[in-house]
């Protein structure tokens, strides 16, 4: 099992996830500023005794408190739209990996590279070795080369699933009869974990996703060995 200090969210490993993190921080700072300002105004309304019963309207104040929220929404909307379009971009991928969600495991195909196919099941708790994560380790990892544009084709065979790897900024629904597309680039080597994020049945919690990012030479050797084993 993993050490307790390791049980935290993984750092961003793709430019897309870094953009999502920046947008989160940007929006959070705006939200905190608004909350502090509103709290200050509420406190001032409670503790002040200055009133004027002859004030019936204040058009300038009304104009200001209409324009300022509109400008604030623009500051949130512009980076949001930019990040949204970046998430949909899949320009000239070097490798395509197709994943199919089943009850309850994932099947993978490297259809444009040596025609690789395998299935990934969760490693039972009793078979875990020291350092592996309970409910997150799979018997087959999705291996991809580093700094390579990857296109994921995602679908399902039975019910709705969701292929999600937070560190890579990927979360795409797997819909039966439909082929969804997502793209990413992993910029550092490592092992990144995810799970099915759609409530897909009794064993929904037992569909882990493990993506390993390695140098291209390691990927080529791994793919050749996997083809020989099959």
């Amino acid at each position: 099992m993993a050490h307790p200090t390791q049980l935290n969210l993984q750092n961003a490993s793709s430019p897309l996830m870094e953009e999502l993190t920046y947008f989160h921080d940007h929006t959070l700072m705006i939200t905190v500023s608004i909350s502090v300002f509103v709290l200050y105004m509420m406190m001032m309304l409670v503790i002040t005794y200055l009133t004027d019963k002859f004030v019936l309207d204040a058009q300038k104040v009304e104009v200001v408190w209409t324009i300022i929220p509109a400008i604030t929404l623009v500051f949130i909307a512009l980076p949001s739209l930019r990040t949204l379009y970046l998430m949909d971009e899949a320009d000239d991928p070097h490798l395509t990996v197709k994943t199919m969600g089943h009850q309850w495991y994932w099947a993978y195909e490297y259809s444009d590279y040596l025609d690789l196919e395998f299935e990934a099941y969760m490693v039972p708790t009793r078979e875990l070795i020291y350092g592996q994560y309970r409910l997150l380790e799979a018997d087959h990892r999705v291996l991809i080369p580093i700094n390579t544009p990857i296109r994921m084709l995602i679908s399902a065979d039975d019910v709705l699933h969701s292929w999600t790897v937070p560190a890579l900024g990927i979360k795409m629904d797997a819909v039966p009869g439909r082929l969804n597309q997502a793209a990413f680039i992993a910029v550092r080597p490592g092992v990144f974990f995810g799970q099915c994020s759609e409530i897909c049945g009794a064993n929904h919690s037992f569909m882990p996703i493990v993506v390993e990012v390695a140098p291209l030479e390691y990927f080529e050797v791994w793919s050749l060995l996997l083809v020989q084993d099959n």
Side-chain angles (χ1 to χ4, degrees):
M1 298 299 294
H3 193 273
T5 58
Q6 297 176 343
L7 301 180
N8 48 24
L9 293 177
Q10 294 180 283
N11 293 329
S13 183
S14 69
L16 178 58
M17 190 59 197
E18 291 179 355
E19 288 291 335
L20 291 172
T21 303
Y22 295 152
F23 174 68
H24 168 269
D25 296 342
H26 169 75
T27 308
L28 184 63
M29 290 304 300
I30 294 178
T31 304
V32 170
S33 301
I34 294 173
S35 301
V36 171
F37 176 73
V38 171
L39 181 61
Y40 170 77
M41 294 302 295
M42 292 174 62
M43 293 177 58
M44 294 302 297
L45 287 173
V46 171
I47 65 177
T48 185
Y49 294 98
L50 299 177
T51 60
D52 189 348
K53 63 181 179 181
F54 297 106
V55 175
L56 301 179
D57 61 63
Q59 294 183 357
K60 292 183 179 179
V61 174
E62 293 178 0
V63 171
V64 170
W65 74 35
T66 301
I67 293 178
I68 290 180
I71 295 175
T72 303
L73 290 176
V74 170
F75 275 99
I76 296 176
L78 291 179
S80 174
L81 292 173
R82 176 177 178 273
T83 306
L84 183 63
Y85 279 104
L86 287 175
M87 293 175 65
D88 290 336
E89 186 69 27
D91 186 28
D92 191 24
H94 294 178
L95 181 66
T96 299
V97 181
K98 180 182 177 182
T99 178
M100 185 75 68
H102 301 271
Q103 290 182 311
W104 283 271
Y105 63 94
W106 295 98
Y108 297 95
E109 299 179 15
Y110 292 71
S111 55
D112 59 353
Y113 187 82
L114 296 180
D115 198 21
L116 297 176
E117 295 183 16
F118 59 88
E119 297 172 345
Y121 294 85
M122 186 191 75
V123 177
T125 302
R126 62 181 179 274
E127 297 179 11
L128 291 173
I129 62 176
Y130 184 81
Q132 291 185 332
Y133 292 93
R134 176 177 173 271
L135 301 182
L136 287 178
E137 194 67 46
D139 57 356
H140 287 89
R141 294 177 173 178
V142 181
L143 191 68
I144 59 173
I146 191 173
N147 292 327
T148 302
I150 306 294
R151 175 174 58 185
M152 293 296 304
L153 300 179
I154 303 166
S155 185
D157 182 56
D158 33 50
V159 298
L160 289 175
H161 299 279
S162 183
W163 200 83
T164 306
V165 183
L168 299 176
I170 296 294
K171 185 179 187 296
M172 181 63 68
D173 286 343
V175 182
R178 176 169 179 166
L179 201 62
N180 290 328
Q181 177 178 274
F184 65 92
I185 300 176
V187 295
R188 64 183 177 91
V191 180
F192 307 101
F193 298 93
Q195 287 180 309
C196 175
S197 298
E198 193 75 48
I199 300 177
C200 57
N203 291 334
H204 155 70
S205 301
F206 307 104
M207 293 183 62
I209 302 164
V210 185
V211 178
E212 182 174 353
V213 182
L216 180 60
E217 297 79 7
Y218 184 89
F219 171 78
E220 292 175 344
V221 173
W222 169 83
S223 59
L224 291 174
L225 292 176
L226 190 60
V227 169
Q228 293 176 2
D229 291 340
N230 293 335

